[in-house]
Amino acid sequence: MTREHFVAASGLYRLLGRLWLREVDAELLTELQTKPLCDLYQQAGGWLWDGQVDQRELLEELAAEYCRLFVGPAQHSPPYQSVWMHGQFESSTTAQMADFFDLLSYERPIYADDVINDHLGIQLDFMAHLYQQMVFADGNSEAIAALKEIATQFLARHLCWPARLFESVRRRAESPFYAAMIRMTGDVLASETGQWLTAVESH
């Protein structure tokens, strides 16, 4: 894996984390239609709307869809690891997440202060931070090796679970925006997991 891969992966994970953590607001809507984020988003399989669409109406539709899919109050799909792996919110999973955060001095996004550590958006944002550290460590083979080990462990322990969530949301999503987000996230995790496992097995 190259420095260019680390940079691109960090940006993509950061975007995916933001999409999972909050409904789309006007600022993000504009960024998704503007280079360079627009290129990254489209290359990853993101869905872009007609430029003639009414922005206020679109934001209201996306906010309602986000709430229906992920927030509730009923028949929603909470994007939390402990819910899907253990059937309830579980402190041990969030504590394990905190251990990884401490390893890399990771600080959660300020717009995610009301979610628990094992939210998928936080996990994706942590991966963005991890890749960013790889960029900063470029040329330091010892640091890169340590970060790769953390990435391998984190993917295996904390990003091994979302397939059932994706399937649940895929069946209920009405907006092409969120249907595309599910595909994007699934494709990224499948590709990344494959690359890291291959790298580990080759050593």
Side-chain angles (χ1 to χ4, degrees), residues 64 70 103 110 112 152 183 192:
F70 305 118
L103 279 174
I110 57 174
T152 302
R183 289 194 302 271
E192 287 284 288

Side-chain angles (χ1 to χ4, degrees), residues 10 13-14 21 46 84 101 103 110 119 140 153 162 165 187:
S10 179
Y13 271 114
R14 188 78 68 197
L21 282 165
W84 291 90
F101 296 171
L103 279 174
I110 57 174
H119 190 290
N140 185 334
Q153 293 297 323
L165 167 66
D187 289 346

Side-chain angles (χ1 to χ4, degrees), residues 14 30 55 59 73-74 80 84 91 111 120 141 168 174 177 183 189 191 196 199:
R14 188 78 68 197
T30 299
Q55 178 170 303
L59 287 172
Y80 290 93
W84 291 90
S91 60
Y111 53 79
L120 177 58
S141 58
S168 174
E174 297 175 359
F177 178 87
R183 289 194 302 271
L189 291 181
S191 174
W196 286 113

